[in-house]
Amino acid sequence: MAENTAKLPDLSPFAQALADRIRRDGPLTVADFMGAAAAEYYASQTVFGKAGDFTTAPEISQLFGEMIAVWLTDLWLQTGKPEHVQLVELGPGRGTLSADIMRTLKNWPDFKNAVSLHLVETSHALRAEQGRVLAAYNPVWHDRLEDVPQGLSFIVANEFFDALPIHQFEKLDGAWRERRVGFDGNFFFTHADPDLPLRDIMPASFLDAPDGSVFEVSPATLTVLDDIVSRLRDNGGAALIIDYGHARAGLGDTLQALEKHQYADVLGNVGARDITAHVDFATCAQAAEGRAAVHGPVTQAEFLLRLGILQRAQALYAGVTAAEAKEVQDGLARLVGAGQMGALFKVMALTPPDTQAVPAGFGGEDATGNG
Ligand code: SAH
């Protein structure tokens, strides 16, 4: 076995350690593989922007964070201007979204003064970057949402849930098997009997799916959602979840890897590629239903347009150079364009179960028209 690894000088120390773990313990579930690879990836890589592997909405344009700030302000007004609000961002990346939100809140000083900023982030490299960008707002960091103090919270998660581990099950020769990752000099997919009680977690209509079908489930996502829902019930507030994914439950393999803005093999260059999966909004909604009011999902385009992103872009055009105006316009097109992020990305909000009002961006009325 040791000779085997000696022939592979191109394996990083992380991949080498993961390979050793597989030799010792046997093939990993996709969830364990994804969790380990993501932790390594976010800890060590230049993740975002042109030089990185992917570009997120707040990195594309300040318009995105400004619209989220409008949404939050509307919520703050609707909930009676509470004096203390925890703004909790899950997976803040470079801190751009929180920075744009806080900057925009200067227009509503009473709200801004009510806010304390909490960041849920496991990567120490990204914490350091967030600390530089957000120093003026005295953020407090937490490893997990569970560690954030109880209290009225407005929770925002952009491209956070897509990074949480999923299990994958594949129908083979008439039986559902769990996909696992083995190692024989290279990482490869193999299968084992499922450890999870599939009949309990899979919609009944999927049980008889044809050979080759893939079913995905993310217990890590459901754990975070549970925490969100009980916080909303006990302390009030809201959660805004933005991610790429599907509004209806479905079968299919959505695991993907990005490196330098190109799709790449999920099992290659392990720990150096961004590995994500589509967020299954239908299952998220179902998990929250009855325990929280669920709004949406709507497409990112619908959400941002209802909040007035076009009007804000118009205001930005005034008084800037032609080149700057083009940048605003390009950013806008990427955020709301149907062939770009506008349709693939979905937005869902959760509020306490007894909520009557529909939050801005979900009901058809514009953000300011709801007294
Ligand atoms: N929201 C940011 C970054 C998205 S990338 C943006 O829109 O630009 C995913 C972020 O989630 C990174 O900050 C990553 O370090 C963090 N993250 C991934 N898995 C996590 C986990 N299990 N717990 C906490 N943070 C996590």
Side-chain angles (χ1 to χ4, degrees), residues 63-64 67 70 298-313 332-333 335-338 342-343 347 360-362 364-368:
L63 290 167
F64 185 78
M67 291 304 110
V70 166
V298 296
T299 65
Q300 178 168 299
E302 286 174 281
F303 181 74
L304 294 176
L305 291 169
R306 282 177 184 154
L307 286 169
I309 196 168
L310 290 180
Q311 291 80 346
R312 175 61 186 146
L332 176 68
L335 292 178
V336 304
V347 186
F362 293 94
E365 85 285 10
D366 74 290
T368 46

Side-chain angles (χ1 to χ4, degrees), residues 6-40:
K7 281 187 223 142
L8 294 158
D10 54 329
L11 277 193
S12 68
F14 166 75
Q16 193 72 254
L18 201 65
D20 291 343
R21 179 173 160 195
I22 292 171
R23 283 203 200 87
R24 192 182 64 230
D25 300 340
L28 298 171
T29 63
V30 170
D32 284 343
F33 174 81
M34 199 177 164
E40 167 70 9

Side-chain angles (χ1 to χ4, degrees), residues 88 90 120 143-148 155 224 227-228 231:
V88 182
L90 307 181
V120 176
D143 280 329
R144 300 170 308 169
L145 177 59
E146 289 152 83
D147 304 329
V148 175
I155 301 167
V224 178
D227 193 324
I228 290 176
R231 272 169 197 273

Side-chain angles (χ1 to χ4, degrees), residues 42 48 54 56 58-59 89-93 120-123 126 130 143 158-160 163-164:
Y42 287 110
F48 303 98
F54 60 101
T56 58
E59 302 293 336
E89 191 182 352
L90 307 181
V120 176
E121 176 59 70
T122 39
S123 159
L126 288 175
Q130 293 153 16
D143 280 329
N158 184 60
E159 290 209 50
F160 169 74
L164 297 186

